Amino acid sequence: MALFTTLHSEDTEYSADSVEWLPQDGLESGYFACGTYQLVQAEGEATEGQAGPCPRKGRVYLYHFEEAKETTLERLQCIETAAILDMKWLPAGSSDCGPHLATVNSVGELEVYEFDAAEKQLRKRTCLSLKETEGEEQPLALALDWRHLEEQVQLVISDSKGGLNLLAYSPNGGLTRQRSWSAHGFEAWTCAFDRWSPHLLYSGGDDMLLLAHDLRTEQRAWTNRAHMAGVTCLLSHPRHEHHLLTGSYDEQLRLFDTRSMKRTLAELNLGGGIWRLKPHSSRPDLILAACMYTNFSVVQLEAKEPALRLLGTYEEHKSICYGADWAPSEPEDSDGLLTMATCSFYDHKLCVSRVEISQ
């Protein structure tokens, strides 16, 4: 069972859709970023499809939450950007620099910021556009994931044209495009590297397809058609090899064994469509799910059975539930108490909450 206590509630002004805690690393603890997405409509415009520069704008907020003083939530920085759709923290490239925050946005760009712990600020390092040729329509960059690849970090970005884009990010801040290809017939909502196999990449799209891509042969490894609506999020489980969890607009949380994709190992209807899945860093079988049109849910993965069990729902948000993440903590520190951050769209609301897990 999961019980929730809201510690802080904040107005993000723009519609909020992503939140990411900085992984715990010595003194750099308690920090998280929040991304926002705001549609800009000129006077007299009633729809999104109007011509004009940058019809969507956004902000990246940097916050600090003092775990020992639950009364303290401080907004440290606000960066004006294009509308943010996803973000991930990347590891520091060397001992001379801090961790990096990678964001993808509505003008088809990847932007990377370095976290300066001394100044408690994000500094922009580099930017790369997904558009390959002049005159080409710029896709929205929808989601990203990363993994270590030798001395570099490899990134994958999915986009609104159904494309996947592989990039390499070097410790000195260099960004290079490795490969781009069309994977889905409609928006490629999500992408994720397999945490156990260096050659597998997964993607999900509005065409209802879940795809696996073999990065060695540059061929599709398999196609899964189990979803009844668009595939919106993926989680290659960090503890259980071959376990892949998926979320969809069809409201089902699914658990697959990637060695046998003909049927699911377990399913759970969470309602509302599932936009994000986040395992806890020290208790990865606890999964936080952002269920767009209902709530935020905490799910227990029972790997041995296997089964998915709903522990509780957080009902504080009254708009589309998009952004969610656990605060990092060590197992010996939690004592059954965990912290999460959540954010929702049209009510532009950010919450930091305490979660008590009991059997």
Side-chain angles (χ1 to χ4, degrees):
M1 182 182 232
L3 299 175
F4 304 87
T5 303
T6 302
L7 304 176
H8 297 278
S9 180
E10 167 114 344
D11 184 353
T12 59
E13 300 167 20
Y14 292 175
S15 301
D17 62 9
S18 58
V19 59
E20 292 284 325
W21 287 86
L22 176 64
Q24 201 161 30
D25 183 18
L27 298 176
E28 298 169 7
S29 63
Y31 295 94
F32 67 90
C34 177
T36 66
Y37 177 114
Q38 191 76 15
L39 180 65
V40 180
Q41 287 187 346
E43 188 175 350
E45 288 183 356
T47 66
E48 180 179 341
Q50 302 292 328
C54 194
R56 306 169 184 91
K57 62 182 179 179
R59 289 172 178 163
V60 175
Y61 294 115
L62 179 66
Y63 289 93
H64 185 252
F65 172 68
E66 190 72 50
E67 283 277 358
K69 304 174 184 176
E70 294 181 351
T71 57
T72 305
L73 176 67
E74 184 181 5
R75 183 188 290 183
L76 301 173
Q77 190 177 12
C78 171
I79 303 171
E80 299 287 341
T81 68
I84 301 295
L85 288 106
D86 197 12
M87 53 173 57
K88 294 286 191 301
W89 288 99
L90 311 179
S94 68
S95 58
D96 298 328
C97 64
H100 294 175
L101 179 70
T103 68
V104 289
N105 62 36
S106 60
V107 294
E109 293 175 340
L110 167 71
E111 293 187 312
V112 182
Y113 302 85
E114 182 179 348
F115 176 63
D116 185 330
E119 298 293 329
K120 299 181 180 180
Q121 296 281 287
L122 293 168
R123 311 290 186 195
K124 188 172 178 179
R125 286 288 298 269
T126 189
C127 175
L128 184 140
S129 172
L130 298 183
K131 185 168 68 173
E132 295 188 86
T133 59
E134 283 300 321
E136 177 187 354
E137 183 184 354
Q138 187 78 289
L140 278 72
L142 298 177
L144 81 155
D145 195 19
W146 68 274
R147 65 170 183 172
H148 287 289
L149 185 66
E150 298 175 349
E151 298 301 315
Q152 297 182 319
V153 169
Q154 188 175 45
L155 296 155
V156 60
I157 300 171
S158 61
D159 65 49
S160 59
K161 292 183 177 181
L164 296 174
N165 307 269
L166 281 178
L167 306 115
Y169 182 61
S170 62
N172 63 7
L175 263 176
T176 55
R177 186 195 301 266
Q178 296 179 315
R179 180 185 165 215
S180 296
W181 72 100
S182 179
H184 294 269
F186 300 99
E187 291 91 340
W189 292 121
T190 184
C191 53
F193 290 108
D194 188 292
R195 296 301 170 204
W196 299 83
S197 170
H199 310 300
L200 273 182
L201 168 68
Y202 305 113
S203 64
D206 211 47
D207 53 9
M208 302 188 290
L209 297 180
L210 167 62
L211 306 179
H213 311 269
D214 189 324
L215 299 179
R216 294 167 300 182
T217 64
E218 299 188 357
Q219 300 293 318
R220 188 176 299 181
W222 46 253
T223 300
N224 178 273
R225 294 180 170 85
H227 302 81
M228 306 306 293
V231 182
T232 47
C233 56
L234 300 168
L235 172 61
S236 176
H237 200 277
R239 177 171 290 176
H240 307 297
E241 188 176 4
H242 309 302
H243 277 190
L244 177 67
L245 293 106
T246 69
S248 168
Y249 283 122
D250 68 12
E251 306 183 353
Q252 293 289 127
L253 175 62
R254 291 176 171 88
L255 173 64
F256 290 95
D257 183 326
T258 55
R259 297 167 297 182
S260 178
M261 293 294 296
K262 290 184 178 180
R263 60 181 61 88
T264 57
L265 296 177
E267 295 188 23
L268 180 64
N269 190 313
L270 293 180
I274 305 165
W275 191 251
R276 293 189 196 278
L277 296 170
K278 292 296 187 76
H280 192 276
S281 57
S282 61
R283 301 173 65 178
D285 287 344
L286 279 179
I287 298 167
L288 178 58
C291 306
M292 288 176 272
Y293 300 106
T294 51
N295 54 45
F296 294 94
S297 297
V298 174
V299 175
Q300 176 76 43
L301 168 62
E302 307 284 359
K304 290 184 179 180
E305 296 186 30
L308 297 165
R309 183 162 58 95
L310 179 63
L311 298 183
T313 60
Y314 182 62
E315 308 281 354
E316 183 70 18
H317 296 265
K318 305 305 178 187
S319 182
I320 306 176
C321 299
Y322 274 142
D325 199 13
W326 294 108
S329 65
E330 299 300 326
E332 61 271 16
D333 296 337
S334 63
D335 195 29
L337 292 176
L338 305 175
T339 303
M340 70 178 188
T342 53
C343 65
S344 48
F345 204 66
Y346 292 114
D347 58 354
H348 31 88
K349 188 174 188 178
L350 167 72
C351 294
V352 176
S353 309
R354 187 70 78 205
V355 186
E356 182 179 359
I357 306 292
S358 60
Q359 299 299 323

